[in-house]
Amino acid sequence: MKKLMLSILFFYASIAVFAQGSSSIGVANPNVEGLYITPSTCAKILRLELTKIGQYSIYDSFDMEDVYQNDSSYRNHCLSRSCLVDFGNKLSADYMLTGSFNLIANKIVISLKMIDVNKGSIHKSALREFTNQEVEIQRMTEVVLKEM
């Protein structure tokens, strides 16, 4: 019985340590050109797909809204590395994610970058072209995130 209790205690302690070690990430509205989807919808899809991956503690849209209310320029114009670092610092996030969703010729091009807020540098990035099937944008986003 003691061994069982110790095993259970060890299991829960290891889960608690793992959860504390999880990095946090915020998702800034990406740039969208030539598509019907909005930047805020793209950000929601990015958060959803990041949740499915399960590697990060993700700031939700309500956390982001607190920052947007203090400085609305972060809502649609925060795409540069320096702006994302500032935005991430306001959120106290470890990483920030953004990118672009563009229709170029007959291709949808998704480019994503993850910024390490503490280092002020690009941590990961990925770019992928897809045939113009905008209804599949969520699946496309999943593919690009998994390649990062």
Side-chain angles (χ1 to χ4, degrees):
M1 185 67 171
K2 264 188 179 179
K3 286 184 181 182
L4 177 63
M5 293 301 282
L6 286 173
S7 297
I8 292 171
L9 181 63
F10 178 73
F11 174 74
Y12 283 112
S14 63
I15 288 174
V17 168
F18 176 74
Q20 289 175 352
S22 180
S23 298
S24 62
I25 189 167
V27 178
N29 289 340
N31 186 54
V32 179
E33 292 181 14
L35 299 169
Y36 292 108
I37 195 165
T38 64
S40 62
T41 302
C42 287
K44 287 176 186 177
I45 290 170
L46 285 166
R47 282 191 290 273
L48 174 68
E49 293 303 323
L50 281 169
T51 301
K52 289 180 185 178
I53 292 171
Q55 281 185 297
Y56 303 97
S57 173
I58 301 146
Y59 286 90
D60 64 17
S61 57
F62 302 108
D63 297 319
M64 308 299 280
E65 193 61 38
D66 288 342
V67 176
Y68 295 151
Q69 286 184 2
N70 290 328
D71 189 345
S72 63
S73 68
Y74 289 117
R75 186 178 303 275
N76 293 314
H77 305 292
C78 191
L79 301 167
S80 69
R81 183 187 50 77
S82 60
C83 183
L84 291 166
V85 168
D86 290 342
F87 194 179
N89 282 327
K90 289 184 189 287
L91 284 170
S92 298
D94 297 313
Y95 299 101
M96 288 297 295
L97 179 72
T98 196
S100 61
F101 291 68
N102 299 316
L103 180 64
I104 300 174
N106 200 27
K107 302 272 186 182
I108 294 176
V109 180
I110 299 176
S111 174
L112 300 176
K113 64 181 175 183
M114 184 182 297
I115 303 295
D116 184 321
V117 174
N118 295 323
K119 293 180 182 175
S121 61
I122 295 175
H123 178 64
K124 295 179 181 180
S125 64
L127 179 136
R128 183 87 186 260
E129 293 179 6
F130 300 93
T131 57
N132 185 6
Q133 297 179 5
E134 191 169 345
V135 294
E136 294 293 329
I137 203 90
Q138 183 173 350
R139 197 175 325 266
M140 295 174 194
T141 303
E142 175 187 11
V143 169
V144 178
L145 278 172
K146 286 183 176 178
E147 288 180 357
M148 288 181 79

